[in-house]
Amino acid sequence: MSSTPSPTFARGPLNLVNVTLEYPDGDGTIKALDNVNLTVQAGQMISLVGPSGSGKSSLLAAAATLVRPTHGLVIIDGTDATGLSDKDLTALRREKIGIIFQQPNLLASLTAAEQLIIGDHLRGKSVRAARAKAAELLDVVGLSASADKRPHQLSGGERQRVNIARALMGDPKVLLVDEPTSALDHERSDSIVRLLRRVTDDFMVATVMVTHDTEFVPLTDLVATMRDGRLTAPVLTTV
Ligand code: ADP
Ligand code: MG
C-alpha cells in the first residue's frame, strides 16, 4: 500500500461546498452566506462564532436544508440535498438531521416523553419502539424522573434537555444547535454545552453549535468565525 495521503476530499456527515445564500434586499440582494465551505466529521463538535448578522443562523438553516442555497452544495451523509425534491428533502431532514434552536418550542399540552414520541410517529416507527427510545434518551439527558412532566413543570434548562433528547430521536448524523444557552444562567448553560459534547461523542454525530459565549468554545473541537457571510477555516480550540 502506498503511504501517500489520499487526495480525496475527506467527507464527514456534513459538507457545505461553496455555499452562497442570497436574500432579496430592497432593489438588490444581501449575501447571508458568501462561498462557505465546511466539513464536520462524525463525533466532531464545531463552535460557530461571529457578530450578530454575520450569517450564523443562515449557515445552520442551509445545513438543516430549511433553505436552499443560491449556489453550492449541502451534502448530508453523502447525499446532495440541493438536488432533492421538497418531499425527499423533508425525509432526509427527518432521518439525518437533529435541530436544536434557541427556544425549545415544546408543545404545552404534551409530557416530556410525548414530545419525543410524536416525532417518531412521523418517521413511521411503532409507538412501542418510540416509547422505549424516548425513555432511553430522557435517561441520557438526565430527565428520567421528569418523563411525565409538561413544559410548565420543567425549568428552562430541563426544557432544553427535552429539546436535545427530541433532536436525537431519529438517530441523526448531524446536530445543528443555535445559541442553546441564550436563555439560561451560567451554570445551566455550562451543563447544556457539556451534555451536547457528551451526545456528540456517544452518538457520533457531527455537531455545529452557534454560540455567543466564547467561554464554552474549549468544550468543542474546532472554532470557526463568521463575518459578513464568510467563514474562516475552522481552527483547533486550545484545551
Ligand atoms: P446571525 O445568526 O449571525 O445573527 P443571520 O444568519 O440571522 O445572522 O443573518 C445574516 C444576514 O442575512 C443578515 O444581514 C440578516 O439581516 C439577513 N437575513 C437573515 N434571514 C433573512 C431573511 N429570511 N430574509 C432576508 N434577510 C435575512
Ligand atoms: Mg442568529
Side-chain angles (χ1 to χ4, degrees):
M1 296 293 280
S2 161
S3 61
T4 312
S6 162
T8 36
F9 188 51
R11 284 205 167 147
L14 175 64
N15 271 275
L16 305 186
V17 184
N18 299 331
V19 170
T20 293
L21 175 64
E22 293 173 348
Y23 289 115
D25 184 51
D27 293 338
T29 55
I30 183 164
K31 269 189 189 167
L33 298 175
D34 187 358
N35 203 32
V36 165
N37 287 284
L38 180 67
T39 296
V40 188
Q41 306 291 345
Q44 210 173 42
M45 186 172 181
I46 290 193
S47 297
L48 201 60
V49 300
S52 176
S54 59
K56 303 181 300 296
S57 293
S58 296
L59 189 153
L60 289 193
T65 75
L66 293 168
V67 293
R68 287 181 191 270
T70 317
H71 305 288
L73 304 178
V74 175
I75 302 168
I76 306 292
D77 198 26
T79 301
D80 173 21
T82 57
L84 298 182
S85 67
D86 285 349
K87 184 165 170 270
D88 289 343
L89 210 51
T90 303
L92 177 83
R93 199 180 305 128
R94 209 175 267 155
E95 300 290 325
K96 307 279 189 187
I97 302 173
I99 302 174
I100 299 167
F101 289 135
Q102 224 162 318
Q103 297 298 333
N105 262 330
L106 301 176
L107 297 163
S109 62
L110 299 185
T111 67
E114 288 164 349
Q115 313 277 350
L116 274 56
I117 292 163
I118 193 170
D120 244 30
H121 187 64
L122 294 172
R123 290 183 194 92
K125 303 254 178 71
S126 79
V127 174
R128 181 196 289 248
R131 274 189 200 289
K133 186 77 188 264
E136 180 194 322
L137 287 174
L138 286 174
D139 186 39
V140 166
V141 302
L143 283 183
S144 283
S146 301
D148 295 326
K149 290 190 181 165
R150 291 182 165 63
H152 73 274
Q153 298 169 301
L154 299 167
S155 71
E158 288 170 336
R159 285 197 290 271
Q160 192 57 293
R161 285 169 185 274
V162 174
N163 203 18
I164 292 168
R166 182 175 57 179
L168 293 169
M169 277 297 279
D171 295 319
K173 303 281 186 194
V174 175
L175 203 54
L176 302 168
V177 195
D178 202 351
E179 307 238 6
T181 64
S182 58
L184 303 177
D185 65 24
H186 180 268
E187 197 180 319
R188 282 170 175 169
S189 297
D190 186 74
S191 76
I192 288 294
V193 179
R194 285 179 194 280
L195 173 60
L196 289 166
R197 171 78 257 181
R198 179 157 56 84
V199 301
T200 300
D201 295 338
D202 291 355
F203 294 85
M204 286 300 280
V205 286
T207 301
V208 181
M209 178 179 72
V210 169
T211 180
H212 59 276
D213 210 334
T214 50
E215 184 191 341
F216 299 122
V217 166
L219 289 171
T220 67
D221 303 301
L222 297 158
V223 56
T225 306
M226 289 221 71
R227 203 168 290 272
D228 298 330
R230 290 199 202 90
L231 187 70
T232 62
V235 294
L236 291 172
T237 58
T238 47
V239 199

